[in-house]
Amino acid sequence: MRKLLLLICLLQLLSSCNAQKDERFELFLENFVEVNLPVNPTETINSFDRDWEHYITEIEFDNYLRTSLDSIWEFNENYQYVYGGKFDIDLNKVGVFYRRVYFADNIDNQKSEIILCVFDYKGKLIARLPIAGGYGDSIAFSSFIQSPKKIIVKTKNYNFEKVKDNIEYFEIKDSGKISLLTE
């Protein structure tokens, strides 16, 4: 009986440790502004007072935001990373968006993105999606997050004299993955 009681106590202790939030990640999240859905991420970031504008550090970017797809994103005077907004998805997941910009000498090489990220509360990046920005003068895109189940991304491709408009709908699944919705 005593061993059973000890085993139950250990299991409860382990399960409570697993459910706890990561304190460093919580400090990272405090830099994002709480937003209510629906939200336009571009308008939200543009509405921030310039005195408020907080920059994401290289350590924070490497610890929480960088993936293998970020090989061109560096930290020097040509790059800028700015905190955006955050919103709860459910009790276990949080959505954040941030802006990153590459200031190139040639406008055709300039890149600007607002990235939507889904994290668990331990700081694990589950999914991410570029939802707004532009690449040079050839692609511009914007978004509207109506709810975790309906994210609208509008893209304009500029090719010589033609402009091609495209609208895609995404959702954040219960797993935290971001999926393209098909009609």
Side-chain angles (χ1 to χ4, degrees), residues 45-46 48 50 52-58 61 65-66 72-84 98-104 110-115:
I45 288 177
N46 289 341
F48 294 155
R50 290 291 172 210
W52 175 88
E53 196 167 83
H54 294 353
Y55 297 99
I56 297 169
T57 68
E58 185 172 4
F61 188 77
L65 302 169
R66 186 180 297 282
I72 69 156
W73 295 96
E74 301 174 15
F75 270 80
N76 62 44
E77 66 278 355
N78 295 325
Y79 294 83
Q80 182 186 77
Y81 304 82
V82 179
Y83 291 104
Y98 71 97
R99 182 183 70 209
R100 62 187 186 182
V101 180
Y102 167 59
F103 298 103
Q110 188 163 315
K111 293 183 182 344
S112 172
E113 295 178 327
I114 294 177
I115 306 291

Side-chain angles (χ1 to χ4, degrees), residues 165-180:
D165 292 320
N166 188 40
I167 299 176
E168 294 179 310
Y169 299 89
F170 296 87
E171 74 171 327
I172 300 172
K173 300 278 193 186
D174 292 339
S175 66
K177 298 289 184 189
I178 301 172
S179 297
L180 178 66

Side-chain angles (χ1 to χ4, degrees), residues 16-127:
S16 69
C17 287
N18 284 338
Q20 289 180 354
K21 297 179 180 180
D22 182 283
E23 287 182 30
R24 288 175 297 166
F25 182 66
E26 286 294 313
L27 291 173
F28 172 69
L29 285 180
E30 286 179 12
N31 292 295
F32 292 87
V33 173
E34 189 77 39
V35 297
N36 295 315
L37 300 182
V39 66
N40 178 321
T42 303
E43 288 179 5
T44 300
I45 288 177
N46 289 341
S47 73
F48 294 155
D49 183 346
R50 290 291 172 210
D51 293 335
W52 175 88
E53 196 167 83
H54 294 353
Y55 297 99
I56 297 169
T57 68
E58 185 172 4
I59 292 170
E60 292 168 325
F61 188 77
D62 289 342
N63 286 344
Y64 301 112
L65 302 169
R66 186 180 297 282
T67 71
S68 60
L69 302 174
D70 292 322
S71 60
I72 69 156
W73 295 96
E74 301 174 15
F75 270 80
N76 62 44
E77 66 278 355
N78 295 325
Y79 294 83
Q80 182 186 77
Y81 304 82
V82 179
Y83 291 104
K86 67 180 174 185
F87 57 92
D88 288 324
I89 295 169
D90 61 30
L91 294 175
N92 300 313
K93 291 179 283 310
V94 62
V96 302
F97 54 89
Y98 71 97
R99 182 183 70 209
R100 62 187 186 182
V101 180
Y102 167 59
F103 298 103
D105 292 332
N106 181 339
I107 188 75
D108 291 334
N109 297 328
Q110 188 163 315
K111 293 183 182 344
S112 172
E113 295 178 327
I114 294 177
I115 306 291
L116 171 65
C117 299
V118 177
F119 290 95
D120 68 16
Y121 274 105
K122 293 181 184 179
K124 179 184 175 209
L125 178 63
I126 300 170

